[in-house]
Amino acid sequence: MSPGRERGLTALLCAAGAGLVLLAAGRVWATVRAAGAITPFTEHVTGRDLGGAAGALGLAALAGLAALFATRGRVRQAVGALLAAFGAGAVYASVTSVQRDHVLDVAGDKRALLKLGAAAAMDVNLWWMVSVTGGVLLVLAGLAVLARSTRWPGMSSRYERADAPAPAAPRDDDAAGLWKSLDRGEDPTAGDGPAPAERRR
C-alpha cells in the first residue's frame, strides 16, 4: 500500500471514530423510571447530560484530523499520540458515565422527585457502546500515525508559500551610463532612436 493511501485510510479511521463519538453524545444513553414516586415519571439522560467528556474529546479528535495533513515528522507523531489519548479518554468517559450511581445523580439533578426517596429503575441502551467503538477507532488511528506516519507525504506543495524572488540590485555601470546619456542630451526613454534635439536639425 502506498504511503499516501495509508494516510488517507488512517484519516478515514480517525473521522469515523470522531463521528461515532459525536453522534452518540447527543443520544439517550439511559432511562430512569420512578414508578413509586408521588408522581411517577420517566427521565431520559443523554451522553451530554452525563458529563459530555466523550463528545468534547470527539471534537478534539476532529482538530487532530486536520493536523494530520498540515504536519509532518515528529509533530505528526505527536498528533498521533494525542489522537490515541483522545480515543482512550472517550472510552473511559463513556464507560464511567453509565454507572448506576452517576446516572441516578444526573437524573436526580433533573428531577427533584428522585431525591425524595423514590425507588428508581434504570435502563441503559447501546449508544454508550457506539461512543466506546468510536474511541477505539481513534486509538487505532493514533497508533497507526505513530507507527507509519514517517513514510507519509506532507501537505501538497501548492499549499506551501513560495519565496518571492529578491528584486535585482541596480548595477553601477547601468547607473553611470544613464547619467552620461542625460549629459549628452539623449532621452533614455526613447530607446535607440535619436534624441529630440537631433531630429529637429
Side-chain angles (χ1 to χ4, degrees), residues 74-172:
R74 293 187 181 275
V75 177
R76 182 182 281 167
Q77 287 189 317
V79 172
L82 285 176
L83 287 175
F86 294 155
V91 171
Y92 177 79
S94 301
V95 172
T96 57
S97 292
V98 293
Q99 300 302 308
R100 179 179 176 83
D101 291 341
H102 180 64
V103 173
L104 293 181
D105 285 342
V106 172
D109 291 338
K110 298 180 70 174
R111 287 272 189 161
L113 289 176
L114 188 60
K115 294 185 176 182
L116 297 179
M122 185 185 79
D123 296 324
V124 178
N125 59 36
L126 295 180
W127 276 110
W128 72 277
M129 284 297 299
V130 174
S131 182
V132 168
T133 302
V136 171
L137 293 181
L138 287 175
V139 171
L140 294 176
L143 293 178
V145 174
L146 284 172
R148 308 290 292 177
S149 65
T150 55
R151 301 175 61 247
W152 297 349
M155 184 180 290
S156 175
S157 58
R158 64 179 175 176
Y159 296 108
E160 297 177 358
R161 181 173 176 262
D163 294 332
R171 295 169 49 186
D172 292 339

